[in-house]
Structure formats: structure tokens, C-alpha cells
Amino acid sequence: MAQQHDREHDRDPRGSLGYRGTEGEPTAGRSVASPVAPASGRVATEVAIAGRVGGIPANPFAVSDVRVRKAQAAGADVIDLSKGNPDGEPPEFMLDAAVTAVRDRANFRYPAFAGKPAFLQAAARWYARQYGVVLEPASELLAVAGAGVGISEVIEALIDPGDLVVMIDPYYPQYRGSTAVAQGRIHLVEAQPELGFLPDLQAVPERVWDEAKLLILNYPNNPTGAAATPELFAMAVRLAKAHHFTVMHDFAYAGIGFDAHPPISLLQTPGALDVGVELCSLSKMYMVAGWRAGFVACRPELMAAVRVVHEQTSLLVTSVVQDAGAAGLNSDQASVRALAERYAGRYETLRDGLSRAGLELVPSHGGLFGWLRVPDGWSDQDFALWLLAHPHVAAIPGSDFGPAGASYVRLSLLVPESVLHRAAERIARARGDAW
């Protein structure tokens, strides 16, 4: 299984094959001639591509990267707010731990499939200290090379072709992509702006829950910045128990909250461990996206299935990264709180600057992004293209996160406040009578 790069830079599964039809689309389900390397003189051969590849959607972040590179090649000075790539560095004590780990001879060997005991124990202590959740490191935790890898493994462990996955719209695009790889079906539940971009799970028809195999939640939410409430998680757990499905919570932005109370874990909910699985990432909490580390937490019966997939399809988290990650998890989390305050300040800078351009950022409770409503009369796709072409600011169209995002674009907070201020000023100057 190919490793993901920053989750925002996962390769386009279609493009990974290298074989495309005349219109640039993958030639899934039929034989095609492979390209001839000019210097090799090899004869082209026929390659049969799996039919399921045609059902895998394009990666919107890869598409955006292409647009940005083209604009830059044409001479544009682009402020790229399309990426979810941390712009800082981990705390010094984690760097020190990594340097020490590099010289530890024990780390020259392959790590255990499930993760180093010290890393899993650190994750268990982190859960206990931060959320009051007690987990058994050996049977209820699994080290993975980023939460995105864990998401893929959980979906592969649970979803057979034709199984139903319920997602909240808008959603992180990987959920759709990984479900497509497993050949599952999708039912979308629209997040309600009047509910703070949370879903009304009670309004979903009973027949949907009867069919559902998996419900995917993500809070603090990417892209909206919504925060889960205890009531939302309790309702999800109640429905899962009544209708026999699993709740997967993507907790990639744990600790990155803007409110007085930090973001909550699904597993704090009474009974959640009976039906739930949670994915955590070190990338965002400690600014180590390039290190690729996170963990999965769930009950032993489900973990056994996830580990079967993990052991056959995934690369292991390097030992050096696990040692440094353990140092982060064992810390007092002061560096994470400082990071959350930094992002909150950036959000406010962007919000205030865009308001002067007549634009409105949705109120955010955490995470790394601003969710911007596009002007009346604009589509999200057209507005994203306008932003790139005129003020030279790159954003992701909201519909790339699902149909409910069609009136929005997503902007990253992962640049300094001065850059966000400059981006907002550019937009205000370029506005003219565009809206």
C-alpha cells in the first residue's frame, strides 16, 4: 500500500498507473498498450487494468497542485492556501528524541507490526490523561503511518463490495476514495449550517441505518471547522448499537481547538468502545506531517481484523518516528495548546481581512482551515478559478468535499498571519465589481 503524503498530497490512484486513454482518463477494465521507453527500444505490451480503478475518484488536492503549478509557470506569484501542510516544526524535545533514536542500535531492526510497545503505551497514557479513556496498548491500539493509512485499513477491514458507508457532507475526500477502493456504496447526510455544520442524525431514515455498515465522523471537521458535541457522539453510539454498524471517528485534529474546552474524543462517550474506532494523527498536533505517524484505537475484536489488513498492505511506522512520537504523546501538551492558539489567531486574521472584501468565513471551532462562502451568483469552482487568476490565491472548491460544499471554498491556515493578511488584501483589491 502506497504511503500517503500529508493526507493532502495523496497520489491520484488513477494516475498512479501511468496508463491513460485518449481523453486523459484511466483505461480501466480493458487492455491497453503500455508506453514504449524511447531509449529502451522495448516493444509495447498489453496491460489489463482492474475495472474497479474506473470507480476511484480523482484526488482534488493533486488536481489543485497542477493548477497552482501552471499559474506559477505563467509567472503568477501565488499565495497557496489550498494545502493542509504544516508550516512549522516540532517542539525541540521531539527533535532531541528523534536524534537519540537515530543512534539507538535497537532501531536498526524492523519494528513490531503493531508498533513499538513504548509508542503504544504513550498513546494509551495520552488517552487516559487527555480524555479519561482507558485502553489496553497491546490489544486496543495500533501504530499506523498517519491517520489516512488507518482510515484505509479500517474501511478495508469492514466494507465488502456493496456495503453502505454513511458520510457527513461535506467530507474529507479520502473517505469517498477509500470506500471506492473497497467498492462500497455511499449515503450522504448533509451537515446543517443552522446546527453549526453538524448533522441531524435523528432525521436519517431508519432504513439507511439498517443498511449501514459504517458511519464516518470527523471533528474538528475538515473542511468546516465544526466541533462535535457530546450529544452528537451519544446519538451516533446509540444508533450504532441499535442498528449494528461501526462508527469511525477521524480525530486528526485532536487538540487543535479554538474554544475554551478542547475537542472531545468519540471514545469519551459511554459505550463508544463497543461500536467505535478512532484515528489519531501526530502530523497536526506536533507539526510532523513528513514523519508519517498516528494510531488506531478500537476494541480487540475489531482491532484483530484491522491488523490483518495492516500486516498485509501497509508499511510500518519507522522506529525513530515512534520514539519521537512517544516523547510528544508523553509531554504535557503545552506545545499543542500553543499551536491551537496560533491557528485561532490566523483564523481571526483571515476572517477579518476577508470581511473587508465582503466575504464571510464560517465560524470555526478548530482545525486548520477556513470555510468561505462564495459570493451570491458564483459557483465554488468558478470562484476558486477567479481567486487563482486574479488575486493569485489558491483555494480548494467546496464541492470537492461533497455536494453540500458547492457554495464554499476551503482556505488553509497553514501560512503565517502576514501571508493571510496579504491574501485577504489581494482579494479585496482585485474584487472590483465582481460581487
Side-chain angles (χ1 to χ4, degrees):
M1 175 175 176
Q3 294 296 292
Q4 298 175 332
H5 179 61
D6 173 43
R7 295 186 66 199
E8 299 291 72
H9 294 77
D10 300 345
R11 61 179 187 170
D12 178 351
R14 302 184 305 175
S16 66
L17 298 166
Y19 308 119
R20 291 188 174 267
T22 57
E23 299 300 321
E25 288 303 307
T27 50
R30 59 185 175 91
S31 296
V32 296
S34 62
V36 177
S40 71
R42 296 193 189 102
V43 178
T45 57
E46 296 291 310
V47 178
I49 304 302
R52 68 176 176 275
V53 174
I56 300 174
N59 186 307
F61 308 116
V63 173
S64 176
D65 281 349
V66 171
R67 284 197 298 260
V68 171
R69 285 197 298 268
K70 285 182 177 178
Q72 291 170 330
D77 176 20
V78 177
I79 296 177
D80 191 355
L81 302 186
S82 68
K83 290 183 172 62
N85 208 355
D87 64 320
E89 60 186 36
E92 193 69 25
F93 64 83
M94 287 184 69
L95 294 175
D96 292 342
V99 170
T100 299
V102 166
R103 296 184 176 278
D104 185 344
R105 295 184 63 84
N107 287 337
F108 300 165
R109 302 173 62 84
Y110 289 119
F113 277 104
K116 295 186 72 171
F119 178 78
L120 300 177
Q121 290 161 8
R125 286 192 290 269
W126 176 82
Y127 258 116
R129 285 195 318 271
Q130 299 300 310
Y131 306 107
V133 173
V134 177
L135 296 170
E136 169 52 50
S139 61
E140 296 179 325
L141 286 163
L142 171 68
V144 289
V149 172
I151 289 165
S152 294
E153 292 179 356
V154 170
I155 290 175
E156 289 284 344
L158 288 172
I159 301 303
D160 284 320
D163 282 346
L164 186 66
V165 177
V166 178
M167 301 178 191
I168 311 305
D169 184 12
Y171 52 82
Y172 183 68
Q174 188 198 345
Y175 309 151
R176 180 183 171 211
S178 292
T179 300
V181 171
Q183 298 182 292
R185 295 178 296 123
I186 292 173
H187 179 88
L188 297 178
V189 177
E190 187 170 342
Q192 302 298 314
E194 63 272 18
L195 298 178
F197 282 90
L198 296 179
D200 183 357
L201 298 181
Q202 286 183 292
V204 177
E206 290 282 306
R207 58 176 175 76
V208 172
W209 296 128
D210 286 339
E211 265 194 271
K213 190 79 171 289
L214 178 65
L215 167 64
I216 302 179
L217 301 175
N218 163 225
Y219 301 101
N221 184 258
N222 176 8
T224 67
T229 63
E231 294 77 18
L232 174 67
F233 280 162
M235 176 58 66
V237 168
R238 185 184 71 75
L239 288 167
K241 290 190 172 189
H243 297 274
H244 309 291
F245 61 81
T246 298
V247 181
M248 180 174 80
H249 182 223
D250 180 5
F251 203 20
Y253 307 106
I256 310 298
F258 300 166
D259 301 327
H261 299 289
I264 60 175
S265 162
L266 169 68
L267 300 186
Q268 289 176 269
T269 307
L273 200 57
D274 297 335
V275 294
V277 53
E278 194 158 65
L279 296 308
C280 296
S281 169
L282 304 191
S283 299
K284 309 306 187 292
M285 288 195 291
Y286 306 117
M287 284 199 170
V288 291
W291 288 5
R292 309 311 302 130
F295 46 93
V296 180
C298 62
R299 67 188 185 280
E301 297 80 7
L302 176 54
M303 183 62 78
V306 174
R307 285 184 177 180
V308 168
V309 176
H310 173 79
E311 291 171 6
Q312 291 290 0
T313 66
S314 183
L315 294 178
L316 307 181
V317 185
T318 61
S319 296
V320 170
V321 169
Q322 290 190 60
D323 287 356
L329 292 166
N330 285 330
S331 75
D332 63 6
Q333 308 305 297
S335 65
V336 181
R337 291 190 293 273
L339 198 57
E341 291 177 6
R342 183 188 309 174
Y343 292 147
R346 291 178 178 184
Y347 168 82
E348 292 169 0
T349 295
L350 185 61
R351 178 198 62 198
D352 295 346
L354 290 173
S355 69
R356 290 190 285 272
L359 297 171
E360 179 190 358
L361 270 189
V362 167
S364 178
H365 298 279
L368 309 181
F369 306 101
W371 192 231
L372 176 66
R373 184 181 295 278
V374 304
D376 290 343
W378 288 75
S379 74
D380 62 308
Q381 297 285 341
D382 286 344
F383 190 61
L385 291 174
W386 182 89
L387 286 172
L388 186 58
H390 296 279
H392 305 310
V393 174
I396 298 289
S399 58
D400 286 347
F401 301 89
S407 297
Y408 301 86
V409 296
R410 194 196 74 171
L411 300 168
S412 172
L413 303 175
L414 296 174
V415 295
E417 282 191 43
S418 60
V419 177
L420 293 170
H421 180 73
R422 190 164 74 250
E425 282 190 331
R426 281 190 187 182
I427 294 169
R429 285 198 305 268
R431 172 187 177 184
D433 59 358
W435 64 86

